């Protein structure tokens, strides 16, 4: 059996992971609180609240994957969840006509930019973590003895 050479997480990776986990947890809690408010306030906002809750579950899964060291999977879930949250916010803030001719509106567009779009900033630390992990993995592969590379 080959023995892998492990490099300890450097300070940059530890700090970036901590920032990502804390900010993602704050976004998740805030958006779930907002989804609960939508579900309680108006009946027509309940499907949007479910969409927000699903995207928050994906973001929570990204947090767990980051803590487990699965950085690429975490990056993918982070991108999907934050873009999904922003899409739900866009749908809520832009009027739409349903089949009966009713126009659903009443939520100002500032809500999108104030409460939903900032979640897209979580992509930046997720990319930084995945990039640093790939760099560390490459260094580990280079330091691995030649005989053990083919086990």
């Amino acid at each position: 059996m080959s023995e892998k050479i492990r490099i300890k997480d450097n300070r940059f990776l530890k700090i970036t992971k901590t920032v990502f986990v804390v900010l993602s947890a704050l976004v998740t809690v805030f958006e779930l609180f907002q989804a609960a408010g939508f579900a309680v306030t108006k009946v027509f906002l309940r499907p949007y609240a479910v969409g927000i809750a699903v995207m928050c579950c994906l973001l929570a899964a990204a947090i767990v994957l980051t803590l487990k060291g699965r950085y690429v999977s975490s990056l993918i879930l982070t991108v999907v969840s934050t873009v999904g949250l922003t899409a739900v916010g866009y749908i809520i803030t832009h009027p739409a006509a349903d089949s009966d001719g009713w126009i659903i509106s009443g939520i100002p567009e500032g809500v999108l930019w104030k409460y939903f779009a900032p979640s897209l900033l979580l992509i930046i630390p997720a990319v930084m973590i995945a990039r640093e992990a790939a760099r560390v993995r490459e260094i580990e592969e280079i330091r691995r003895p030649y005989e053990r590379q083919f086990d």
Side-chain angles (χ1 to χ4, degrees):
M1 295 272 162
S2 66
E3 188 175 312
K4 287 191 172 188
I5 297 173
R6 287 286 300 154
I7 297 176
K8 286 185 174 180
D9 288 346
N10 59 12
R11 186 171 183 235
F12 173 77
L13 189 59
K14 287 179 184 178
I15 291 172
T16 309
K17 278 173 49 175
T18 304
V19 166
F20 174 75
V21 168
V22 168
L23 290 179
S24 296
L26 289 174
V27 166
T28 302
V29 169
F30 174 75
E31 293 295 344
L32 285 174
F33 179 73
Q34 192 169 0
F38 284 159
V40 171
T41 309
K42 301 285 182 185
V43 174
F44 73 90
L45 288 176
R46 287 184 184 157
Y48 303 114
V50 171
I52 293 171
V54 168
M55 294 303 148
C56 287
C57 289
L58 291 177
L59 192 56
I63 294 170
V64 170
L65 288 173
T66 298
L67 294 175
K68 295 261 185 193
R70 310 291 295 174
Y71 302 119
V72 175
S73 303
S74 172
L75 173 63
I76 292 169
L77 282 178
T78 301
V79 169
V80 169
S81 64
T82 58
V83 169
L85 281 172
T86 305
V88 170
Y90 181 83
I91 292 169
I92 289 173
T93 58
H94 287 74
D98 66 4
S99 60
D100 296 332
W102 292 91
I103 295 179
I104 298 170
S105 66
I107 298 175
E109 190 174 349
V111 170
L112 168 69
W113 299 109
K114 190 173 182 182
Y115 299 121
F116 291 101
S119 67
L120 289 172
L121 293 174
L122 290 175
I123 295 172
I124 295 169
V127 167
M128 291 167 59
I129 291 169
R131 186 172 158 241
E132 183 66 20
R135 187 186 68 79
V136 167
R137 184 171 294 138
E138 183 180 338
I139 291 171
E140 288 174 352
E141 188 66 29
I142 289 170
R143 289 185 182 175
R144 192 171 174 188
Y146 180 75
E147 296 81 24
R148 293 185 183 169
Q149 290 180 3
F150 302 105
D151 287 343

